């Protein structure tokens, strides 16, 4: 994909790169919300500590993700 940029005029290459960056930001937001909602559903029956241990992340990260599910 990035090889394509080398063959394009600089303005087209830059526009294409910015479009790809924006697309991936939007996709990351979708997945971030999905992750947050899944953790929130799990939180209804499990402790934050249990979720963090199973995922191999800190409890602070779980709390951060859960805050995202509220917004």
């Amino acid at each position: 994909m990035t090889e394509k940029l080398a063959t394009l005029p600089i303005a087209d290459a830059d526009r294409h790169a910015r479009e790809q960056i924006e697309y991936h930001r939007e996709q990351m937001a979708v997945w971030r919300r999905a992750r947050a909602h899944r953790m929130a559903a799990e939180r209804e029956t499990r402790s934050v500590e249990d979720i963090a241990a199973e995922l191999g992340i800190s409890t602070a990260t779980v709390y951060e993700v859960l805050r995202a599910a509220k917004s």
Side-chain angles (χ1 to χ4, degrees):
M1 177 65 114
T2 57
E3 299 84 26
K4 177 181 176 183
L5 296 180
T7 63
L8 294 173
I10 186 70
D12 292 340
D14 185 63
R15 179 187 48 75
H16 179 72
R18 285 184 286 121
E19 288 171 355
Q20 290 302 307
I21 290 166
E22 185 57 33
Y23 169 77
H24 288 284
R25 281 187 182 140
E26 291 169 5
Q27 289 301 304
M28 286 172 52
V30 168
W31 283 104
R32 190 175 300 117
R33 282 190 301 274
R35 179 186 187 206
H37 289 291
R38 179 61 181 95
M39 275 196 209
E42 193 71 15
R43 177 64 180 103
E44 292 178 11
T45 60
R46 296 178 64 189
S47 71
V48 168
E49 292 77 14
D50 286 346
I51 295 168
E54 182 171 332
L55 297 177
I57 59 177
S58 69
T59 56
T61 300
V62 175
Y63 282 118
E64 181 181 323
V65 172
L66 290 172
R67 279 192 297 276
K70 293 180 182 179
S71 59

